[in-house]
Coordinates of all heavy atoms in Angstrom, one line a residue:
M472 N 0.8 -1.2 0.0 CA 0.0 0.0 0.0 C 0.9 1.2 0.0 O 0.6 2.2 -0.7 CB -0.9 0.0 1.2 CG -1.8 1.1 1.3 SD -3.1 1.1 0.0 CE -4.0 2.4 0.4
R473 N 1.9 1.2 0.8 CA 2.8 2.4 0.9 C 3.4 2.7 -0.5 O 3.5 3.8 -0.9 CB 3.9 2.1 1.9 CG 4.9 3.3 2.0 CD 6.1 2.9 2.9 NE 5.7 3.0 4.3 CZ 6.5 2.7 5.3 NH1 7.7 2.3 5.0 NH2 6.1 2.7 6.5
R474 N 3.8 1.6 -1.2 CA 4.4 1.8 -2.5 C 3.4 2.5 -3.5 O 3.8 3.4 -4.3 CB 4.8 0.5 -3.1 CG 5.8 0.6 -4.3 CD 6.2 -0.8 -4.8 NE 7.1 -1.4 -3.8 CZ 7.5 -2.6 -3.9 NH1 7.2 -3.4 -4.9 NH2 8.3 -3.2 -3.0
F475 N 2.2 2.1 -3.4 CA 1.1 2.7 -4.3 C 1.0 4.2 -3.9 O 0.9 5.0 -4.9 CB -0.2 2.0 -4.1 CG -1.3 2.6 -4.8 CD1 -1.5 2.5 -6.2 CD2 -2.3 3.4 -4.1 CE1 -2.5 3.1 -6.9 CE2 -3.3 4.0 -4.8 CZ -3.4 3.9 -6.2
V476 N 0.9 4.6 -2.7 CA 0.8 6.0 -2.3 C 1.9 6.8 -2.8 O 1.8 7.9 -3.3 CB 0.6 6.1 -0.7 CG1 0.6 7.5 -0.3 CG2 -0.7 5.4 -0.3
V477 N 3.2 6.3 -2.6 CA 4.3 7.0 -3.1 C 4.3 7.2 -4.6 O 4.6 8.3 -5.1 CB 5.6 6.3 -2.6 CG1 6.9 6.9 -3.3 CG2 5.8 6.3 -1.1
C478 N 3.9 6.2 -5.3 CA 3.8 6.3 -6.8 C 2.8 7.3 -7.2 O 3.0 8.1 -8.1 CB 3.5 4.9 -7.4 SG 4.9 3.8 -7.4
A479 N 1.6 7.3 -6.5 CA 0.5 8.2 -6.8 C 1.0 9.6 -6.5 O 0.7 10.6 -7.3 CB -0.7 7.9 -6.0
M480 N 1.7 9.9 -5.4 CA 2.2 11.2 -5.1 C 3.2 11.7 -6.1 O 3.2 12.8 -6.5 CB 2.8 11.2 -3.7 CG 1.8 11.1 -2.6 SD 2.5 10.9 -0.9 CE 3.6 12.2 -0.8
L481 N 4.1 10.8 -6.6 CA 5.1 11.1 -7.6 C 4.4 11.5 -8.9 O 4.8 12.5 -9.5 CB 6.1 10.0 -7.8 CG 7.2 10.2 -8.8 CD1 8.1 11.4 -8.3 CD2 8.0 9.0 -8.9
V482 N 3.5 10.7 -9.3 CA 2.8 11.0 -10.6 C 2.1 12.4 -10.5 O 2.1 13.2 -11.4 CB 1.7 9.9 -10.9 CG1 0.8 10.3 -12.0 CG2 2.5 8.6 -11.3
T483 N 1.4 12.6 -9.4 CA 0.7 13.9 -9.2 C 1.7 15.1 -9.2 O 1.5 16.1 -9.8 CB 0.0 13.9 -7.8 OG1 -0.9 12.8 -7.8 CG2 -0.8 15.2 -7.6
A484 N 2.9 14.9 -8.6 CA 3.9 16.0 -8.6 C 4.4 16.2 -9.9 O 4.6 17.4 -10.3 CB 5.0 15.6 -7.6
L485 N 4.7 15.2 -10.7 CA 5.2 15.3 -12.1 C 4.2 16.0 -13.0 O 4.6 16.7 -13.9 CB 5.7 14.0 -12.6 CG 6.9 13.4 -12.0 CD1 7.2 12.0 -12.5 CD2 8.1 14.3 -12.2
Q486 N 2.9 15.7 -12.8 CA 1.9 16.4 -13.6 C 1.8 17.9 -13.4 O 1.4 18.6 -14.2 CB 0.5 15.7 -13.4 CG 0.5 14.3 -14.0 CD -0.8 13.6 -13.6 OE1 -1.6 14.1 -12.7 NE2 -1.1 12.5 -14.3
A487 N 2.2 18.3 -12.2 CA 2.1 19.7 -11.9 C 3.2 20.5 -12.4 O 3.2 21.7 -12.5 CB 2.1 19.9 -10.3
V488 N 4.3 19.9 -12.8 CA 5.5 20.6 -13.4 C 5.3 20.8 -14.9 O 5.0 19.9 -15.6 CB 6.8 19.7 -13.2 CG1 8.0 20.4 -13.8 CG2 7.0 19.5 -11.7
P489 N 5.3 22.1 -15.3 CA 5.1 22.4 -16.7 C 6.3 21.9 -17.6 O 7.4 22.0 -17.1 CB 4.9 23.9 -16.8 CG 5.7 24.4 -15.6 CD 5.5 23.3 -14.5
A490 N 6.0 21.5 -18.8 CA 7.0 21.1 -19.7 C 7.8 22.3 -20.2 O 7.2 23.3 -20.5 CB 6.4 20.3 -20.8
P491 N 9.1 22.2 -20.4 CA 9.9 23.4 -20.8 C 9.7 23.7 -22.3 O 10.3 24.7 -22.8 CB 11.3 23.0 -20.5 CG 11.3 21.5 -20.6 CD 9.9 21.1 -20.1
G492 N 9.0 22.9 -23.0 CA 8.9 23.1 -24.5 C 9.0 21.8 -25.2 O 8.8 20.7 -24.6
P493 N 9.2 21.8 -26.5 CA 9.3 20.6 -27.2 C 10.5 19.7 -26.6 O 11.5 20.2 -26.2 CB 9.7 21.0 -28.6 CG 9.6 22.5 -28.7 CD 9.5 23.0 -27.3
V494 N 10.2 18.4 -26.6 CA 11.2 17.5 -26.1 C 12.3 17.3 -27.2 O 11.9 16.9 -28.3 CB 10.6 16.1 -25.7 CG1 11.6 15.2 -25.3 CG2 9.5 16.4 -24.7
P495 N 13.5 17.5 -26.9 CA 14.6 17.3 -27.9 C 14.8 15.8 -28.2 O 14.6 15.0 -27.3 CB 15.8 17.9 -27.3 CG 15.6 17.8 -25.8 CD 14.1 17.9 -25.6
Q496 N 15.1 15.5 -29.5 CA 15.4 14.1 -29.8 C 16.8 13.8 -29.2 O 17.7 14.5 -29.4 CB 15.4 14.0 -31.3 CG 14.0 13.9 -31.9 CD 14.1 13.4 -33.3 OE1 15.0 13.6 -34.0 NE2 13.0 12.8 -33.7
V497 N 16.8 12.6 -28.7 CA 18.1 12.1 -28.1 C 18.8 11.3 -29.2 O 18.2 10.4 -29.8 CB 17.8 11.2 -26.9 CG1 19.1 10.7 -26.4 CG2 17.1 12.0 -25.8
M498 N 20.0 11.6 -29.5 CA 20.8 10.9 -30.5 C 22.0 10.3 -29.9 O 22.6 10.9 -29.0 CB 21.2 11.9 -31.7 CG 20.0 12.4 -32.4 SD 20.3 13.2 -34.0 CE 21.8 14.1 -33.8
A499 N 22.4 9.2 -30.5 CA 23.7 8.6 -30.1 C 24.9 9.5 -30.4 O 24.8 10.3 -31.3 CB 23.8 7.2 -30.8
R500 N 25.9 9.3 -29.6 CA 27.1 10.1 -29.9 C 27.7 9.8 -31.3 O 27.8 8.7 -31.7 CB 28.2 9.7 -28.8 CG 29.4 10.5 -29.0 CD 30.4 10.3 -27.8 NE 29.7 10.7 -26.6 CZ 30.2 10.6 -25.4 NH1 31.3 10.0 -25.2 NH2 29.5 11.0 -24.4
G501 N 28.0 10.8 -32.0 CA 28.5 10.7 -33.3 C 27.4 10.5 -34.4 O 27.7 10.5 -35.6
A502 N 26.2 10.5 -34.0 CA 25.1 10.4 -35.0 C 24.8 11.8 -35.6 O 25.0 12.8 -35.0 CB 23.8 9.9 -34.3
Q503 N 24.4 11.7 -36.9 CA 24.2 13.0 -37.6 C 22.8 12.9 -38.3 O 22.5 11.8 -38.8 CB 25.3 13.2 -38.6 CG 26.6 13.4 -38.0 CD 27.6 14.2 -38.8 OE1 27.3 14.5 -40.0 NE2 28.7 14.5 -38.3
M504 N 22.1 13.9 -38.3 CA 20.8 14.0 -39.0 C 21.1 14.4 -40.5 O 22.0 15.1 -40.8 CB 19.9 15.0 -38.4 CG 19.4 14.5 -37.0 SD 18.2 15.6 -36.3 CE 16.8 15.0 -37.2
G505 N 20.2 13.9 -41.3 CA 20.4 14.2 -42.8 C 19.0 14.2 -43.4 O 18.0 13.7 -42.9
D506 N 19.0 14.7 -44.6 CA 17.8 14.7 -45.5 C 18.1 14.2 -46.8 O 19.2 14.3 -47.3 CB 17.3 16.2 -45.6 CG 16.8 16.8 -44.4 OD1 15.8 16.3 -43.8 OD2 17.4 17.8 -43.9
A507 N 17.1 13.5 -47.4 CA 17.3 13.0 -48.8 C 16.0 13.2 -49.5 O 14.9 13.0 -48.9 CB 17.7 11.6 -48.8
T508 N 16.1 13.6 -50.8 CA 14.9 13.7 -51.6 C 15.1 12.9 -52.9 O 16.2 13.0 -53.5 CB 14.6 15.2 -51.9 OG1 14.5 15.9 -50.7 CG2 13.3 15.4 -52.7
G509 N 14.1 12.2 -53.3 CA 14.2 11.5 -54.6 C 13.0 10.6 -54.8 O 12.0 10.6 -54.1
R510 N 13.2 9.8 -55.8 CA 12.1 8.8 -56.2 C 12.4 7.4 -55.6 O 13.6 7.0 -55.6 CB 12.0 8.7 -57.7 CG 11.5 9.9 -58.3 CD 10.8 9.7 -59.7 NE 10.4 10.9 -60.3 CZ 9.2 11.5 -60.0 NH1 8.4 11.0 -59.1 NH2 8.9 12.7 -60.6
V511 N 11.4 6.8 -55.1 CA 11.6 5.5 -54.5 C 11.9 4.5 -55.6 O 11.1 4.4 -56.6 CB 10.3 5.0 -53.7 CG1 10.4 3.6 -53.2 CG2 10.0 6.0 -52.6
T512 N 13.0 3.7 -55.5 CA 13.3 2.7 -56.4 C 13.0 1.3 -55.9 O 12.8 0.3 -56.6 CB 14.8 2.7 -56.9 OG1 15.6 2.6 -55.7 CG2 15.1 4.0 -57.6
D513 N 13.0 1.1 -54.5 CA 12.7 -0.2 -53.9 C 12.2 0.0 -52.5 O 12.7 0.8 -51.8 CB 14.0 -1.0 -53.9 CG 13.8 -2.4 -53.4 OD1 12.8 -3.0 -53.7 OD2 14.7 -2.9 -52.6
V514 N 11.2 -0.8 -52.2 CA 10.7 -0.8 -50.8 C 10.7 -2.3 -50.4 O 10.0 -3.1 -50.9 CB 9.2 -0.3 -50.7 CG1 8.7 -0.4 -49.3 CG2 9.1 1.1 -51.3
D515 N 11.5 -2.6 -49.4 CA 11.6 -4.0 -48.9 C 11.0 -4.0 -47.5 O 11.6 -3.6 -46.5 CB 13.1 -4.4 -48.9 CG 13.2 -5.9 -48.5 OD1 12.3 -6.5 -47.9 OD2 14.3 -6.4 -48.8
R516 N 9.8 -4.5 -47.4 CA 9.1 -4.4 -46.1 C 9.6 -5.6 -45.2 O 9.4 -5.5 -44.0 CB 7.6 -4.6 -46.4 CG 7.0 -3.2 -46.9 CD 5.5 -3.3 -47.2 NE 5.0 -2.0 -47.5 CZ 5.2 -1.5 -48.7 NH1 5.8 -2.1 -49.7 NH2 4.7 -0.3 -49.0
R517 N 10.2 -6.6 -45.7 CA 10.7 -7.7 -44.9 C 11.9 -7.2 -44.1 O 12.1 -7.5 -43.0 CB 11.1 -8.9 -45.7 CG 9.9 -9.5 -46.4 CD 10.4 -10.7 -47.2 NE 10.0 -11.9 -46.6 CZ 10.5 -13.1 -46.8 NH1 11.4 -13.2 -47.8 NH2 10.0 -14.1 -46.2
Q518 N 12.8 -6.3 -44.8 CA 14.0 -5.8 -44.1 C 13.8 -4.4 -43.6 O 14.7 -3.8 -43.2 CB 15.2 -5.9 -45.0 CG 15.5 -7.4 -45.3 CD 16.8 -7.5 -46.1 OE1 17.5 -6.5 -46.4 NE2 17.1 -8.7 -46.6
W519 N 12.6 -3.8 -43.8 CA 12.3 -2.4 -43.5 C 13.2 -1.5 -44.2 O 13.6 -0.5 -43.6 CB 12.3 -2.2 -42.0 CG 11.3 -3.0 -41.2 CD1 10.6 -4.1 -41.6 CD2 11.0 -2.8 -39.8 NE1 9.8 -4.6 -40.6 CE2 10.0 -3.8 -39.5 CE3 11.3 -1.9 -38.9 CZ2 9.4 -3.9 -38.2 CZ3 10.8 -1.9 -37.6 CH2 9.8 -2.9 -37.3
R520 N 13.5 -1.7 -45.4 CA 14.5 -0.9 -46.2 C 13.8 -0.1 -47.3 O 12.9 -0.6 -48.0 CB 15.6 -1.9 -46.8 CG 16.7 -1.1 -47.4 CD 17.7 -2.0 -48.0 NE 17.1 -3.0 -48.9 CZ 17.5 -4.2 -49.1 NH1 18.5 -4.7 -48.4 NH2 16.9 -5.0 -50.0
L521 N 14.4 1.0 -47.5 CA 13.9 1.9 -48.6 C 15.1 2.4 -49.4 O 16.1 2.8 -48.8 CB 13.2 3.1 -48.0 CG 12.8 4.3 -48.9 CD1 11.7 3.8 -49.8 CD2 12.4 5.5 -48.1
R522 N 15.0 2.4 -50.7 CA 16.0 2.9 -51.6 C 15.5 4.0 -52.5 O 14.4 3.9 -53.0 CB 16.6 1.7 -52.5 CG 17.5 0.8 -51.8 CD 18.2 -0.2 -52.7 NE 18.9 -1.1 -52.0 CZ 19.0 -2.4 -52.3 NH1 18.4 -2.9 -53.3 NH2 19.7 -3.2 -51.5
L523 N 16.3 5.0 -52.7 CA 16.0 6.1 -53.5 C 16.8 6.1 -54.8 O 17.9 5.5 -54.8 CB 16.2 7.4 -52.8 CG 15.3 7.6 -51.5 CD1 15.7 9.0 -50.9 CD2 13.9 7.5 -51.8
D524 N 16.4 6.8 -55.8 CA 17.1 6.9 -57.1 C 18.5 7.6 -56.9 O 19.3 7.4 -57.8 CB 16.3 7.6 -58.2 CG 15.9 9.0 -57.8 OD1 16.1 9.4 -56.7 OD2 15.3 9.7 -58.7
S525 N 18.7 8.3 -55.8 CA 20.0 8.9 -55.6 C 21.0 7.9 -55.0 O 22.2 8.3 -54.9 CB 19.8 10.0 -54.5 OG 19.3 9.5 -53.3
G526 N 20.5 6.7 -54.8 CA 21.4 5.7 -54.3 C 21.4 5.5 -52.8 O 22.0 4.6 -52.2
D527 N 20.7 6.4 -52.1 CA 20.5 6.3 -50.7 C 19.7 5.1 -50.3 O 18.7 4.8 -50.9 CB 19.8 7.6 -50.1 CG 20.7 8.8 -50.1 OD1 21.9 8.7 -49.7 OD2 20.3 9.9 -50.6
E528 N 20.2 4.4 -49.3 CA 19.5 3.2 -48.7 C 19.3 3.5 -47.2 O 20.2 3.8 -46.5 CB 20.4 2.0 -48.9 CG 19.7 0.7 -48.4 CD 20.6 -0.5 -48.7 OE1 21.4 -0.8 -47.8 OE2 20.4 -1.1 -49.7
M529 N 18.0 3.4 -46.8 CA 17.6 3.8 -45.5 C 16.8 2.7 -44.9 O 16.1 1.9 -45.6 CB 16.9 5.1 -45.4 CG 17.7 6.3 -45.8 SD 16.7 7.6 -46.3 CE 17.2 7.8 -48.0
Y530 N 16.8 2.6 -43.5 CA 16.0 1.6 -42.8 C 15.0 2.3 -41.9 O 15.3 3.2 -41.2 CB 16.9 0.7 -42.0 CG 17.8 -0.1 -42.9 CD1 19.1 0.4 -43.3 CD2 17.4 -1.4 -43.3 CE1 19.9 -0.4 -44.1 CE2 18.3 -2.2 -44.1 CZ 19.5 -1.6 -44.5 OH 20.3 -2.4 -45.3
A531 N 13.8 1.8 -42.0 CA 12.7 2.3 -41.2 C 12.8 1.8 -39.7 O 13.2 0.7 -39.5 CB 11.3 1.9 -41.7
T532 N 12.6 2.7 -38.8 CA 12.6 2.3 -37.4 C 11.2 1.8 -37.0 O 11.1 1.2 -35.9 CB 12.9 3.5 -36.5 OG1 12.1 4.6 -36.8 CG2 14.4 4.0 -36.7
D533 N 10.2 2.0 -37.8 CA 8.9 1.5 -37.7 C 8.4 1.1 -39.1 O 8.4 2.0 -40.0 CB 8.0 2.5 -37.0 CG 6.6 2.0 -36.6 OD1 6.2 1.0 -37.2 OD2 6.0 2.6 -35.7
V534 N 7.9 -0.1 -39.3 CA 7.4 -0.5 -40.6 C 6.3 0.4 -41.1 O 6.1 0.5 -42.3 CB 7.0 -2.0 -40.6 CG1 5.7 -2.2 -39.9 CG2 7.0 -2.5 -42.0
R535 N 5.6 1.1 -40.2 CA 4.5 2.0 -40.7 C 5.0 3.1 -41.6 O 4.3 3.7 -42.3 CB 3.7 2.5 -39.5 CG 2.9 1.4 -38.8 CD 2.2 1.9 -37.7 NE 3.1 2.1 -36.6 CZ 2.9 2.5 -35.4 NH1 1.6 2.8 -35.0 NH2 3.8 2.7 -34.5
Y536 N 6.3 3.5 -41.4 CA 6.9 4.5 -42.3 C 6.8 4.1 -43.8 O 6.7 4.9 -44.7 CB 8.4 4.7 -42.0 CG 8.6 5.6 -40.7 CD1 9.5 5.2 -39.8 CD2 7.9 6.8 -40.5 CE1 9.7 5.9 -38.6 CE2 8.2 7.6 -39.4 CZ 9.1 7.1 -38.5 OH 9.3 7.9 -37.4
L537 N 6.8 2.8 -44.0 CA 6.8 2.3 -45.4 C 5.4 2.1 -46.0 O 5.2 1.8 -47.1 CB 7.6 1.0 -45.5 CG 9.0 1.1 -45.0 CD1 9.7 -0.3 -45.1 CD2 9.8 2.1 -45.7
D538 N 4.3 2.2 -45.1 CA 3.0 2.0 -45.6 C 2.6 3.0 -46.7 O 2.9 4.2 -46.6 CB 2.0 2.2 -44.4 CG 2.0 1.0 -43.4 OD1 2.6 0.0 -43.8 OD2 1.4 1.2 -42.3
G539 N 2.0 2.5 -47.7 CA 1.6 3.4 -48.8 C 2.7 3.8 -49.8 O 2.4 4.4 -50.8
L540 N 3.9 3.4 -49.5 CA 5.0 3.8 -50.5 C 5.1 2.7 -51.6 O 4.9 1.5 -51.3 CB 6.4 3.8 -49.7 CG 6.7 5.0 -48.9 CD1 8.1 4.8 -48.3 CD2 6.6 6.3 -49.6
K541 N 5.4 3.2 -52.8 CA 5.6 2.3 -53.9 C 6.7 2.9 -54.8 O 7.0 4.0 -54.7 CB 4.3 2.0 -54.6 CG 3.7 3.3 -55.2 CD 2.3 2.9 -55.8 CE 1.6 4.1 -56.4 NZ 1.5 5.3 -55.6
E542 N 7.2 2.0 -55.7 CA 8.2 2.5 -56.6 C 7.7 3.7 -57.4 O 6.6 3.6 -57.9 CB 8.7 1.4 -57.5 CG 9.5 0.3 -56.8 CD 10.0 -0.8 -57.7 OE1 10.2 -0.5 -58.9 OE2 10.1 -1.9 -57.2
G543 N 8.5 4.6 -57.6 CA 8.2 5.8 -58.4 C 7.7 7.0 -57.6 O 7.6 8.1 -58.1
D544 N 7.3 6.8 -56.3 CA 6.8 7.9 -55.5 C 8.0 8.8 -55.2 O 9.1 8.4 -55.0 CB 6.3 7.3 -54.1 CG 5.0 6.7 -54.2 OD1 4.3 6.8 -55.2 OD2 4.6 6.0 -53.2
R545 N 7.7 10.1 -55.2 CA 8.7 11.1 -54.9 C 8.5 11.4 -53.4 O 7.4 11.7 -52.9 CB 8.5 12.4 -55.7 CG 9.6 13.4 -55.5 CD 9.7 14.3 -56.7 NE 10.6 15.4 -56.5 CZ 11.9 15.3 -56.5 NH1 12.4 14.1 -56.7 NH2 12.7 16.3 -56.3
V546 N 9.6 11.4 -52.6 CA 9.6 11.5 -51.2 C 10.7 12.4 -50.7 O 11.8 12.6 -51.3 CB 9.7 10.2 -50.4 CG1 8.4 9.3 -50.7 CG2 10.9 9.4 -50.8
H547 N 10.5 13.0 -49.5 CA 11.6 13.7 -48.8 C 11.7 12.9 -47.5 O 10.7 12.7 -46.7 CB 11.2 15.1 -48.5 CG 12.2 15.9 -47.7 ND1 13.3 16.4 -48.2 CD2 12.3 16.1 -46.3 CE1 14.0 16.9 -47.3 NE2 13.4 16.8 -46.1
V548 N 12.9 12.5 -47.2 CA 13.2 11.6 -46.0 C 14.1 12.3 -45.1 O 15.2 12.8 -45.5 CB 13.8 10.2 -46.4 CG1 13.9 9.3 -45.2 CG2 12.9 9.6 -47.5
R549 N 13.8 12.3 -43.8 CA 14.7 12.8 -42.7 C 15.2 11.5 -42.0 O 14.4 10.6 -41.7 CB 14.0 13.7 -41.8 CG 14.9 14.1 -40.6 CD 14.5 15.4 -40.0 NE 14.9 16.4 -40.9 CZ 15.4 17.6 -40.5 NH1 15.3 17.9 -39.2 NH2 15.8 18.5 -41.3
Y550 N 16.5 11.5 -41.8 CA 17.1 10.2 -41.2 C 18.2 10.6 -40.2 O 18.7 11.7 -40.2 CB 17.6 9.3 -42.2 CG 18.7 9.9 -43.1 CD1 20.0 9.9 -42.7 CD2 18.4 10.5 -44.3 CE1 21.0 10.4 -43.5 CE2 19.4 11.1 -45.1 CZ 20.7 11.0 -44.7 OH 21.7 11.6 -45.5
I551 N 18.6 9.6 -39.4 CA 19.7 9.7 -38.5 C 20.7 8.7 -39.0 O 20.4 7.5 -39.2 CB 19.4 9.4 -37.0 CG1 18.4 10.5 -36.5 CG2 20.6 9.4 -36.2 CD1 17.9 10.2 -35.1
D552 N 22.0 9.2 -39.2 CA 23.1 8.3 -39.7 C 23.9 8.0 -38.5 O 24.6 8.8 -37.9 CB 23.9 9.1 -40.8 CG 24.9 8.2 -41.4 OD1 25.2 7.1 -40.9 OD2 25.3 8.5 -42.5
T553 N 23.9 6.7 -38.1 CA 24.7 6.2 -37.0 C 25.7 5.2 -37.5 O 25.3 4.1 -37.8 CB 23.9 5.6 -35.9 OG1 23.0 4.7 -36.4 CG2 23.1 6.7 -35.2
G554 N 26.9 5.6 -37.8 CA 27.9 4.6 -38.2 C 27.6 4.0 -39.6 O 27.9 2.9 -39.9
G555 N 27.0 4.8 -40.5 CA 26.8 4.4 -41.8 C 25.4 3.8 -42.1 O 25.0 3.6 -43.2
R556 N 24.7 3.6 -41.0 CA 23.3 3.1 -41.2 C 22.4 4.2 -41.0 O 22.3 4.9 -40.0 CB 23.0 2.0 -40.1 CG 21.6 1.4 -40.3 CD 21.4 0.4 -39.2 NE 20.0 -0.1 -39.2 CZ 19.6 -1.2 -39.8 NH1 20.4 -1.9 -40.5 NH2 18.3 -1.5 -39.8
K557 N 21.5 4.4 -42.0 CA 20.6 5.6 -42.0 C 19.2 5.1 -41.5 O 18.6 4.2 -42.2 CB 20.5 6.2 -43.4 CG 21.8 6.8 -43.9 CD 21.7 7.3 -45.3 CE 23.0 7.9 -45.8 NZ 23.0 8.2 -47.2
S558 N 18.8 5.6 -40.4 CA 17.5 5.2 -39.8 C 16.5 6.3 -40.1 O 16.7 7.4 -39.6 CB 17.7 5.0 -38.3 OG 18.6 3.9 -38.1
I559 N 15.4 5.9 -40.7 CA 14.3 6.9 -41.1 C 13.6 7.4 -39.8 O 13.2 6.6 -39.0 CB 13.3 6.3 -42.0 CG1 14.0 5.8 -43.3 CG2 12.2 7.2 -42.3 CD1 13.2 5.0 -44.2
I560 N 13.4 8.7 -39.7 CA 12.6 9.3 -38.6 C 11.4 10.0 -39.1 O 10.5 10.3 -38.4 CB 13.5 10.2 -37.7 CG1 14.1 11.3 -38.4 CG2 14.5 9.3 -36.9 CD1 14.8 12.3 -37.5
R561 N 11.4 10.3 -40.5 CA 10.2 11.0 -41.0 C 10.2 10.8 -42.6 O 11.3 10.9 -43.2 CB 10.2 12.5 -40.7 CG 9.1 13.2 -41.2 CD 9.1 14.7 -40.8 NE 8.0 15.3 -41.4 CZ 7.5 16.4 -40.9 NH1 8.0 17.0 -39.8 NH2 6.5 17.0 -41.5
I562 N 9.1 10.6 -43.1 CA 8.9 10.6 -44.6 C 7.8 11.5 -45.0 O 6.7 11.4 -44.4 CB 8.7 9.1 -45.1 CG1 9.8 8.2 -44.8 CG2 8.4 9.2 -46.6 CD1 9.6 6.8 -45.3
D563 N 8.0 12.3 -46.0 CA 6.9 13.2 -46.5 C 6.8 12.9 -48.0 O 7.8 12.9 -48.8 CB 7.3 14.7 -46.4 CG 7.3 15.1 -44.9 OD1 6.4 14.7 -44.2 OD2 8.3 15.8 -44.5
H564 N 5.6 12.6 -48.5 CA 5.3 12.4 -49.9 C 5.3 13.8 -50.5 O 4.7 14.7 -50.0 CB 4.0 11.7 -50.1 CG 4.0 10.3 -49.6 ND1 4.2 9.2 -50.5 CD2 3.8 9.7 -48.4 CE1 4.2 8.1 -49.8 NE2 3.9 8.4 -48.6
Q565 N 5.8 13.9 -51.7 CA 5.8 15.1 -52.5 C 5.0 15.0 -53.7 O 4.8 14.0 -54.3 CB 7.2 15.6 -52.8 CG 8.0 15.9 -51.6 CD 9.4 16.4 -51.9 OE1 9.9 16.1 -53.0 NE2 9.9 17.2 -51.0

């Protein structure tokens, strides 16, 4: 019972503290953000991979990023490059 009361008090206290603004994205050390624009040449939903006509190969962090994409679509992709692997964080259809 004591644990429940302490947790409830903590949750109540945290709800009273206003957020300082947008939450910054946390990136791994050495990671860099990038953008790529181009036409989709390949969508591999088994490996969560996307290829553009520019030669960029990126991997979705969530398979839902690839929903509705097909070859020939023009897209703008924002990604995080960590050690040569580009992880998609946003896709916009153009």
Side-chain angles (χ1 to χ4, degrees):
M472 180 70 177
R473 179 187 284 177
R474 195 178 290 174
F475 174 75
V476 172
V477 171
C478 287
M480 289 173 49
L481 181 61
V482 168
T483 303
L485 289 175
Q486 288 174 345
V488 177
V494 178
Q496 284 192 331
V497 178
M498 294 193 322
R500 183 172 296 177
Q503 298 200 355
M504 292 186 76
D506 293 294
T508 302
R510 293 203 182 276
V511 175
T512 59
D513 183 40
V514 180
D515 185 344
R516 287 178 174 78
R517 294 178 109 197
Q518 295 185 7
W519 297 16
R520 184 179 58 213
L521 172 70
R522 285 191 184 139
L523 300 180
D524 59 354
S525 61
D527 288 314
E528 181 176 89
M529 294 160 241
Y530 293 87
T532 53
D533 186 338
V534 74
R535 290 177 287 183
Y536 283 131
L537 304 179
D538 286 348
L540 284 180
K541 60 186 181 304
E542 289 184 29
D544 286 349
R545 186 157 174 74
V546 294
H547 176 82
V548 183
R549 176 156 280 215
Y550 60 85
I551 296 176
D552 188 341
T553 51
R556 182 181 173 97
K557 296 176 182 175
S558 299
I559 299 168
I560 57 173
R561 182 179 177 157
I562 296 179
D563 295 315
H564 291 265
Q565 295 184 332

